[in-house]
Amino acid sequence: MRYRTTLDSQVFAFDDLRQVMAFASPARSGDYLAGIGAATAQQRMAARHVLAETPLKQFLSEALIPYEEDNITRLIIDDHDAAAFAPVGHLTVGDFRNWLLSEPASTEVLAALAPGLTPEMAAAVSKLMRNQDLIAVARKCRVVTRFRDTIGLPGHLAVRLQPNHPTDDLRGIAASMLDGLLMGAGDAVIGINPVTDSVQHLGDLLRMLDEVIQRFEVPTQSCVLTHVTHALKLVESGAPVDLVFQSIGGTEKTNRSFGVTPELLDEAHAAAQSLARGTVGNNLMYFETGQGSALSADANFGVDQQTCEARAYALARRYQPLLINTVVGFIGPEYLYDGKQIIRAGLEDHFCGKLLGLPLGCDVCYTNHAEADQDDMDTLLVLLGTAGINFIMGVPGADDVMLNYQSTSFHDALFLRESLGLKRAPEFEAWLQRMQITDGTGRLQAPSSNPLLADMRSLKALT
């Protein structure tokens, strides 16, 4: 179906809804690399005019990637909740944007609407929004998940403690973990990106994390971010698996490049559920995504990178995950060129994920060859904190010495919590106070007397 509009006496024509979506996107390097970005600002604005007049229900009849060719499209269409969609089914994309910003679109109403929205609808409306619009709507969307603590409550911010090491040295990992806990980080997860995929070594890492959690009764969860097939082997071997991790994308071909299918994720989800290791809930999947992954796998099929990213969330919400994390600047400047593009992408991803009912976090990050710096990350950090992000990363010194990229530090989390009045997960906050790491107000105390630091023998025993 072709689309046309007239803008300043000039006629603009678009081949199909997929092209309208691509041309309506804010400028970013990945779409230009794919040859699908708008050629001019006028063409971009014309596409937005067309998009604003497009009925939301059009996305149910005109698939951007054919139903017969892509299992993510089939998942989106087959799982669509028509009853939940009905209250907004008569709206155009432009009307939907205005409604989302209105008072009737409350937290409770948006939660009920989420199953009725497709990722393409969320992506479409985001293209008509300013940054402040993305923040205002996302702030109203609350998604709460639980495993050993409660993440996503209003006025709270969790942190993934990321104690990576370039050689997986247990002493180095343990030292970074201790540093993070003493800085009040780790309520989202203590998660390691391992250097090796040896199942025996992965099990050693999990057992070390689990010993710390069990010995000190830390109300958090651990994860070694390895492929889902390794997670299955670890469960079979009796390793203490809390969360199952996997990188996912928004097309079937992208996921096959990751070596993953919905059926494989179903199997891993069921295996981890059988362990029943959660204490306050059973949300146990951890997914990571990022704009540009579909294009880097030659698997975007002419769909813009932000819409591909939103489509990944359809696969994620099938499993009611504890955490989903957009690693926004990690893939590089080929996809998000500079700080401006990274900031916009982070706000888009958070908005789309929350609107679709997912517990979105963000790795506020960049690679050293991007046109970005830590000031850009500070800006995105504050914007996402204002928007109600569920969690961010806590990396020693904000510099990941294993993955070689720049992220956010334990100190950045302290800054954000203090500046915006955000609390840690309640179970984790209570533990920090019991361990005398924080006082009754959540502020860090002098570390000389807390039991975690006093028992330094535990660090030796673990390593």
Side-chain angles (χ1 to χ4, degrees), residues 161-180:
L161 202 173
Q162 186 169 309
N164 294 343
H165 192 277
T167 65
D168 282 348
D169 179 77
L170 291 180
R171 287 182 62 83
I173 291 170
S176 293
M177 183 166 43
L178 178 65
D179 184 25

Side-chain angles (χ1 to χ4, degrees), residues 198-261:
S198 159
V199 174
Q200 176 61 47
H201 179 67
L202 297 174
D204 291 341
L205 290 174
L206 278 174
R207 282 183 283 273
M208 187 267 281
L209 293 178
D210 189 60
E211 185 172 346
V212 172
I213 290 172
Q214 299 303 328
R215 177 181 299 189
F216 294 103
E217 300 179 329
V218 189
T220 190
Q221 35 283 327
S222 68
C223 185
V224 173
L225 282 68
T226 187
H227 194 269
V228 66
T229 53
H230 295 126
L232 276 167
K233 292 176 182 177
L234 288 164
V235 171
E236 292 168 2
S237 72
V241 176
D242 288 343
L243 307 187
V244 173
F245 167 83
Q246 183 56 51
S247 294
I248 57 173
T251 69
E252 179 176 354
K253 187 177 178 182
T254 304
N255 288 314
R256 288 196 180 279
S257 77
F258 291 146
V260 67
T261 63

Side-chain angles (χ1 to χ4, degrees), residues 360-419:
L360 252 287
C362 183
D363 191 343
V364 179
C365 64
Y366 65 101
T367 57
N368 287 310
H369 60 309
E371 289 295 319
D373 58 27
Q374 211 65 40
D375 286 339
D376 296 312
M377 300 306 103
D378 288 349
T379 299
L380 179 55
L381 182 70
V382 173
L383 293 175
L384 287 172
T386 304
I389 193 83
N390 276 32
F391 69 100
I392 61 170
M393 302 298 110
V395 178
D399 185 356
D400 193 301
V401 294
M402 194 283 276
L403 294 173
N404 195 28
Y405 79 116
Q406 310 304 311
S407 185
T408 49
S409 70
F410 308 136
H411 296 82
D412 292 328
L414 289 173
F415 151 76
L416 194 62
R417 283 171 170 151
E418 183 168 339
S419 297

Side-chain angles (χ1 to χ4, degrees), residues 3-291:
Y3 295 80
R4 296 168 61 89
T5 191
T6 301
L7 189 65
D8 294 334
S9 301
Q10 183 178 354
V11 176
F12 292 87
F14 306 94
D15 294 338
D16 50 27
L17 188 54
R18 176 172 55 188
Q19 189 175 72
V20 172
M21 290 278 281
F23 285 3
S25 293
R28 63 201 60 198
S29 52
D31 288 339
Y32 288 116
L33 181 64
I36 58 174
T40 64
Q42 290 84 357
Q43 188 180 51
R44 178 174 295 108
M45 189 55 65
R48 290 177 179 172
H49 274 262
V50 169
L51 190 59
E53 296 301 319
T54 300
L56 277 178
K57 61 185 177 183
Q58 184 69 21
F59 290 99
L60 298 174
S61 58
E62 186 177 349
L64 303 190
I65 302 175
Y67 182 94
E68 300 76 14
E69 299 175 12
D70 185 85
N71 61 12
I72 302 301
T73 299
R74 292 194 291 274
L75 181 68
I76 291 167
I77 299 301
D78 294 348
D79 287 358
H80 181 251
D81 188 330
F85 178 63
V88 297
H90 63 289
L91 299 178
T92 65
V93 176
D95 291 335
F96 185 46
R97 178 254 181 198
N98 294 337
W99 178 81
L100 286 171
L101 290 164
S102 71
E103 190 172 339
S106 64
T107 296
E108 295 74 20
V109 168
L110 291 175
L113 176 65
L117 297 178
T118 70
E120 290 86 351
M121 294 174 189
V125 74
S126 75
K127 298 177 192 297
L128 304 182
M129 291 180 151
R130 294 170 56 186
N131 287 358
Q132 67 174 250
D133 299 336
L134 298 174
I135 294 168
V137 176
R139 186 174 176 84
K140 295 192 288 185
C141 299
R142 307 307 312 184
V143 183
V144 179
T145 56
R146 296 173 174 88
F147 189 74
R148 292 203 188 97
D149 58 358
T150 305
I151 300 170
L153 293 169
H156 289 68
L157 171 75
V159 176
R160 170 188 161 188
L161 202 173
Q162 186 169 309
N164 294 343
H165 192 277
T167 65
D168 282 348
D169 179 77
L170 291 180
R171 287 182 62 83
I173 291 170
S176 293
M177 183 166 43
L178 178 65
D179 184 25
L181 290 171
L182 290 173
M183 295 289 287
D187 45 349
V189 62
I190 303 175
I192 300 172
N193 298 92
V195 175
T196 179
D197 279 335
S198 159
V199 174
Q200 176 61 47
H201 179 67
L202 297 174
D204 291 341
L205 290 174
L206 278 174
R207 282 183 283 273
M208 187 267 281
L209 293 178
D210 189 60
E211 185 172 346
V212 172
I213 290 172
Q214 299 303 328
R215 177 181 299 189
F216 294 103
E217 300 179 329
V218 189
T220 190
Q221 35 283 327
S222 68
C223 185
V224 173
L225 282 68
T226 187
H227 194 269
V228 66
T229 53
H230 295 126
L232 276 167
K233 292 176 182 177
L234 288 164
V235 171
E236 292 168 2
S237 72
V241 176
D242 288 343
L243 307 187
V244 173
F245 167 83
Q246 183 56 51
S247 294
I248 57 173
T251 69
E252 179 176 354
K253 187 177 178 182
T254 304
N255 288 314
R256 288 196 180 279
S257 77
F258 291 146
V260 67
T261 63
E263 294 76 18
L264 181 59
L265 291 174
D266 288 348
E267 183 182 356
H269 180 254
Q273 289 276 22
S274 72
L275 300 180
R277 292 178 57 81
T279 55
V280 297
N282 60 359
N283 303 114
L284 51 71
M285 300 296 279
Y286 176 12
F287 295 113
E288 285 191 352
T289 64
Q291 288 195 28

